[in-house]
Amino acid sequence: MLPRSAQLRGLIALGGWLCVSSVSNASDWPQWRGPTRDGRWMDTGLLETFPKDGPKVVWKKPLNPGYSGPAIAGGKVYVCDRIAGAVENDKPQPKGGIPGKERVLCLDFKTGEKVWEHVYDCLYERVSFPSGPRTTPVVDGNRVYTLGAMGDIFCLDATTGKPVWTLNLRKEFSTKAPVWGFAAHLLADKERLYTLVGGPDSAVVALDKATGKTVWKALTSQEVGYSPPVLVEAGGVTQLVVWLSDEVAGLNPKTGEVYWKEKHPAVGMKQMRPAVTITTPCVHDGVVYVSSAYDGALAIKLASDKPTASVLWRAEKNYPKTPEKLPTLMSTLLVKDGYLYGIGAEDGDVICAKADSGETVWTNLGLFGGKKALFGSAFWVEAEGRQYCFTDQGDLVVLDLNPKGYKELGRAHVIDPSQGARGRKVVWAHPGCSDKCMVVRNDKEIVCVSLAKE
């Protein structure tokens, strides 16, 4: 059972893993979790094991603090960080807030040299874990969309970095920043940009990509979640799937009409406050999977003939007890060959469970060296049938996951963990993958390593 002292009231939600309307080439990684927003990397000819000294470092550049993972498109790397205003995660914050600036940085993918930067003032007010911006930029055609911790959305020219339009979610929708700041990654699709906001009838908002004007807003949630929205084809229509503080819902992406809603946790079960909805909804074979440390997993079956849904299975007990089905924290579930894989919140153990029931098949502590890791997390990247798992310790671990057990093919340390969290040093930023290279960052530097076979 997770101890009461470990109620995550200082954890930045990273969110964990559908589509950007235009990308520069097949190898680009233009948004959170890649081109199809599911952690799949289409490159081939990648290393399965590593040299003794690890993969070759292509370039390494200094970077300021933040949790924003890199996006890669059109030969450029886009990432966000924070200039000045640094306060350690577990230290008291000034009553008047933490002055400082947020930055959108564009680097040359081949060399790491700075192409442009866009810097703006940003006072952090009552943001737990105030290191910097949380979300990964979205590159869509010649536009880059970013969301800062205090709700600043920028649409920037991808070539020059000049603003096309900007708005602040708190001011535009008269809402407050979430406890851990705005952390649900933006989603761009066709004419619209989707974001989680909060406030009455504006938990989910669609903006016009060209102007930033509100297209529609929908739903009310006690707190806005940190789990980013995804798009899925089901029931003969496209659906926008969102996971809010106490429910999962499917909406019409054009109008905001609610197609279906399912409570999570279930009616009558205890609700953790603030709600800890972090992982990205995982959609596979017509089933939506979400999972949390306090409420466990929920599987929702999407109807094939109409836009409705029903519960396939769920964890039957929750906070303050440990859910018996996939109690994960920040790592989005991975589905493969009829099985789910997650990382347990309490110990950092890899969990294998049956996708059709949530029943645990096996657990293993190997990802963190056989030791328990409180709130241990990692990011799955799937390529060539293997999982390239980037852990919060800065290790890149190549796995062949299957229902028979945990199988490690290779391991290399690619960047040092440098952010304090619950007595551990961690790195909480999703990697970007392109052209047989992986780009990772911590709060001091950004590093590009080659995973190409010689």
Side-chain angles (χ1 to χ4, degrees), residues 243 245-248 262-266 271 290 295-298 314:
W243 181 19
S245 64
D246 55 1
E247 65 185 5
V248 184
E262 292 291 350
K263 299 290 291 183
H264 191 55
Q271 173 72 70
V290 298
D295 301 318
L298 169 68
R314 67 161 75 242

Side-chain angles (χ1 to χ4, degrees), residues 147-171:
L147 170 61
M150 297 306 296
D152 294 292
I153 291 184
F154 280 90
C155 171
L156 304 173
D157 184 288
T159 303
T160 66
K162 293 182 179 180
V164 178
W165 59 261
T166 183
L167 64 82
N168 181 274
L169 296 178
R170 293 180 299 152
K171 296 177 180 178

Side-chain angles (χ1 to χ4, degrees), residues 401-425:
L401 294 177
N402 62 76
K404 295 181 179 179
Y406 175 94
K407 184 178 180 181
E408 193 168 305
L409 304 177
R411 177 185 289 260
H413 187 69
V414 292
I415 199 168
D416 290 335
S418 56
Q419 300 156 340
R422 300 292 184 176
R424 296 195 308 133
K425 291 291 186 179

